[in-house]
Amino acid sequence: MVDLRRPRPWTITVSGEAGRWTQDLTPRHAELLYALARHRDGRTAAELAVDLFGDATRTVTVRAEMSRMRRTLAGVLTHRPYRFAESVDVRLRCPSDPADLLPGSTAPLVLGARRGRGTVP
């Protein structure tokens, strides 16, 4: 479960055969997981760069952050394209008021969601 309901901390909780654990998310990782939860078919580095920065050329930054997250979330995230693994049941928890989503974020995808463009799964 990706929990973005509170102003901070944002968390991801993973449950499975090995148990259950929760990890706090950095603002950038919260944005990336939000983007992946919104686009379950996956996103290329260029698509994520547009989602987060409005600039498809920022792929180096996206790849570096995804690499960091994939080390921590092995088995949860995959790549080519970046996405949640097929076996993962993703639950995205967002604030009841879209205007409260990821305060401080300037990611175009988040700004659009705050303005009510698109629906959250």
Side-chain angles (χ1 to χ4, degrees):
M1 172 177 57
V2 178
D3 191 347
L4 308 177
R5 292 177 290 185
R6 295 177 304 280
R8 290 283 305 260
W10 305 299
T11 60
I12 184 167
T13 301
V14 178
S15 300
E17 292 178 18
R20 177 183 169 113
W21 54 270
T22 298
Q23 177 178 321
D24 288 348
L25 298 170
T26 67
R28 181 71 68 221
H29 290 178
E31 290 169 337
L32 282 164
L33 291 175
Y34 175 74
L36 294 177
R38 290 279 310 268
H39 299 280
R40 288 302 314 266
D41 289 339
R43 303 296 272 170
T44 65
E47 289 169 329
L48 285 170
V50 169
D51 290 341
L52 270 59
F53 306 110
D55 180 355
T57 67
R58 301 276 308 265
T59 58
V60 171
T61 303
V62 167
R63 286 187 181 111
E65 291 296 339
M66 288 302 300
S67 178
R68 288 182 193 98
M69 273 201 313
R70 287 182 61 228
R71 279 193 297 267
T72 305
L73 299 173
V76 174
L77 297 176
T78 188
H79 65 295
R80 295 188 188 144
Y82 294 111
R83 65 191 180 284
F84 285 96
E86 298 271 336
S87 62
V88 174
D89 176 24
V90 178
R91 295 182 187 169
L92 178 62
R93 305 284 189 223
C94 293
S96 55
D97 183 349
D100 294 332
L101 179 65
L102 298 171
S105 174
T106 58
L109 180 68
V110 174
L111 295 176
R114 285 186 197 143
R115 289 189 288 266
R117 290 197 320 240
T119 58
V120 177

